[in-house]
Amino acid sequence: MFTIELSEDDRRRIDDLVAEILDGHGRPDAPELLDRITVWAQEMPRAVRTAANHFRLHEPAGGCLFTGFRVDDDAIGDTPAHWGGARANGTAREDLFLLLCASLLGDPIAWATQQGGRLLHDVMPIKGHESEQINSSTSAPLWWHTEDAFHPCRAHYVGLLCLRNPDAVETTYAVFDDLDLDEETVRTLMEPRYVIRPDESHLPKNRGGQDGDAPRELMERSFSWVEEMNSNPPLIPVLFGDPKAPYGRLDPYFMDRRDDDPEAMAAFDRFVKEIDDKLTSVVLKPGDALFIDNYKSVHGRKPYAARYDGRDRWLRRVNVTRDLRSSRATRVAAGARVIH
Ligand SMILES: NC(=[NH2+])NCCC[C@H](N)C(=O)O
Ligand SMILES: O=C(O)CCC(=O)C(=O)O
Ligand SMILES: [Fe+2]
């Protein structure tokens, strides 16, 4: 893991910057604030910017951990029972810190079909989801995955800011650079012979009755595209880029076994076994902002027991792209963040 440790001075300067921005704008997801977030990120301490730039450009690791930010445990309030509903502004400081770090790596984006199109997601236990394969599950392991693996516009980085983690639950990950795969296997995995279906966080059953402010017609189009990807998924490669340091996309739990292509499946099984063998973990503590490189690694989470008492584990999540333009056809304006 590539780690950026904030010094006492960094912390003070970041706190001042966050306070200044919030003074002028109030809510961290206000459009006029987001329009300028990249500019403010340039006012992060130079050492932090330099380290983040190194991580982004040279790809020395599968993830970048910003550590040392202080969460205000009283101000953030109780861990919510659901991501929906009206949101208090208690996490404004923390949200803004996450957005500033994100903006050193790229542009924050949101999904119309996930958590009501919100830019910042809540990751915490939801009653009834205990054994699902969704971020709000608890008693079942969240099987490792590429975030939104099925989606052509999936994020380059997934940012997770820990607000609470009282039982030291482990976030799992593995980096493709660490895998032992022979050339022939890599070649096969780079061919369009695989099927990835949408995960359940994008399905209408998890829509939560809230669609943000997008027109209904547009929302229907978004959900029918996900449905189309479910009923008629294309064949895609699971590795791409440089065969010697490949990028990847996979979410085995939502992928098909193709009986008509045993060779592709055998290569895939070797790939999955290597990831299982190399899977390691990190325990996020309050204030840690982990940016998983969603092209170079997979991540997941070990099971744990929910409390449902307002003190549960709680993360804030953001998707980050290095290429906003590649999704232009499915966003309503050049500077819009929501992908439909
Ligand atoms: N293997 C999996 N469980 N894949 C889905 C991962 C979780 C999903 N991205 C979510 O936000 O809930
Ligand atoms: O809870 C975690 O540590 C990771 C969850 C996850 O995979 C996600 O929210 O994308
Ligand atoms: Fe994830």
Side-chain angles (χ1 to χ4, degrees):
M1 190 67 68
F2 185 83
T3 303
I4 302 179
E5 238 182 273
L6 304 184
S7 68
E8 192 55 50
D9 187 49
D10 292 336
R11 208 172 3 249
R12 201 170 38 240
R13 289 178 51 194
I14 291 171
D15 277 337
D16 288 350
L17 177 60
V18 165
E20 181 198 328
I21 302 170
L22 285 178
D23 248 7
H25 292 86
R27 294 194 81 95
D29 54 0
E32 61 281 7
L33 186 158
L34 291 173
D35 283 354
R36 289 180 57 192
I37 192 71
T38 308
V39 179
W40 279 310
Q42 291 165 20
E43 292 176 41
M44 291 280 267
R46 184 184 285 180
V48 174
R49 284 182 287 131
T50 303
N53 179 63
H54 180 84
F55 167 75
R56 181 188 65 83
L57 187 62
H58 295 294
E59 308 182 357
C64 176
L65 179 68
F66 296 78
T67 184
F69 182 76
R70 301 241 164 91
V71 168
D72 187 339
D73 192 68
D74 291 326
I76 61 174
D78 279 357
T79 303
H82 197 275
W83 53 261
R87 261 197 75 83
N89 205 18
T91 60
R93 237 187 102 246
E94 289 73 16
D95 289 354
L96 199 48
F97 172 65
L98 180 61
L99 286 172
L100 285 167
C101 295
S103 302
L104 296 177
L105 300 174
D107 292 301
I109 49 165
W111 301 111
T113 49
Q114 203 184 47
Q115 296 209 4
R118 291 177 184 180
L119 190 67
L120 295 170
H121 297 162
D122 286 306
V123 176
M124 80 281 126
I126 295 180
K127 258 192 195 145
H129 287 191
E130 288 81 359
S131 52
E132 299 286 316
Q133 280 303 314
I134 193 164
N135 67 76
S136 42
S137 67
T138 47
S139 57
L142 187 67
W143 296 112
W144 54 256
H145 56 275
T146 300
E147 199 69 10
D148 308 301
F150 75 102
H151 207 296
C153 304
R154 70 202 170 282
H156 292 99
Y157 306 98
V158 185
L160 301 169
L161 172 65
C162 178
L163 299 180
R164 276 192 186 115
N165 192 7
D167 300 315
V169 176
E170 292 169 61
T171 300
T172 56
Y173 68 96
V175 187
F176 301 140
D177 287 343
D178 296 341
L179 307 184
D180 267 323
L181 294 171
D182 61 273
E183 273 178 41
E184 184 56 35
T185 299
V186 170
R187 214 176 353 239
T188 305
L189 295 169
M190 291 182 105
E191 289 166 3
R193 298 162 78 165
Y194 302 93
V195 170
I196 310 181
R197 292 179 196 270
D199 71 77
E200 300 190 347
S201 66
H202 290 272
L203 300 186
K205 71 169 182 180
N206 287 310
R207 200 165 168 172
Q210 279 196 302
D211 285 340
D213 46 17
R216 249 189 57 148
E217 245 175 59
L218 191 55
M219 287 308 302
E220 294 320 315
R221 201 189 74 183
S222 309
F223 279 103
S224 40
W225 185 79
V226 171
E227 178 45 39
E228 173 64 17
M229 292 299 280
N230 197 24
S231 51
N232 204 5
L235 285 173
I236 53 158
V238 289
L239 288 181
F240 54 100
D242 178 0
K244 289 190 203 69
Y247 299 134
R249 63 187 292 196
L250 73 164
D251 187 343
Y253 193 89
F254 293 101
M255 292 174 71
D256 290 4
R257 293 298 302 176
R258 291 191 53 220
D259 294 338
D260 55 338
D261 193 351
E263 189 188 48
M265 291 302 105
F268 190 70
D269 291 343
R270 288 194 286 278
F271 187 22
V272 168
K273 164 111 183 26
E274 260 304 298
I275 294 177
D276 279 334
D277 287 352
K278 301 282 159 66
L279 199 70
T280 168
S281 73
V282 56
V283 173
L284 297 179
K285 58 181 194 309
D288 284 351
L290 171 63
F291 286 80
I292 298 275
D293 188 325
N294 202 37
Y295 274 44
K296 291 180 67 72
S297 42
V298 288
H299 68 281
R301 185 185 57 227
K302 294 211 178 156
Y304 66 108
R307 307 165 177 232
Y308 303 124
D309 64 350
R311 299 287 98 190
D312 264 315
R313 184 176 189 270
W314 184 15
L315 314 180
R316 297 283 281 160
R317 180 174 76 182
V318 67
N319 283 288
V320 181
T321 183
R322 290 170 58 151
D323 181 12
L324 197 53
R325 279 188 162 175
S326 64
S327 61
R328 180 64 186 88
T330 53
R331 290 178 299 109
V332 298
R337 309 264 174 189
V338 182
I339 298 178
H340 280 277

